[in-house]
Amino acid sequence: MPAVDETGDVKKGTRTVAVQRQYTGTADRIENSQVAVYLVSSTMSEEQTQNTGSASTRECSH
């Protein structure tokens, strides 16, 4: 199952590649920033994901 994630990094200057004034949710306003988009693929079934999540919850509650 593919998943898309967009993230923004606020930058102070303009010399870094792909920095421009644009809206980024990180700053919640228009700033000099870079935006990266990640596309990942998951192979776990929904049942495996639920089992993993509940096991992690139990481990964290100790």
Side-chain angles (χ1 to χ4, degrees), residues 11-29:
K11 300 291 183 178
K12 295 295 179 190
T14 57
R15 294 184 181 198
T16 305
V17 174
V19 170
Q20 63 183 6
R21 291 194 52 78
Q22 56 192 336
Y23 175 82
T24 177
T26 306
D28 198 26
R29 61 180 178 267

Side-chain angles (χ1 to χ4, degrees), residues 18-55:
V19 170
Q20 63 183 6
R21 291 194 52 78
Q22 56 192 336
Y23 175 82
T24 177
T26 306
D28 198 26
R29 61 180 178 267
I30 296 174
E31 289 282 343
N32 281 350
S33 61
Q34 286 178 317
V35 174
V37 178
Y38 299 96
L39 175 62
V40 296
S41 179
S42 173
T43 57
M44 293 181 92
S45 70
E46 184 177 331
E47 183 178 321
Q48 289 172 319
T49 304
Q50 289 173 351
N51 290 338
T52 302
S54 59

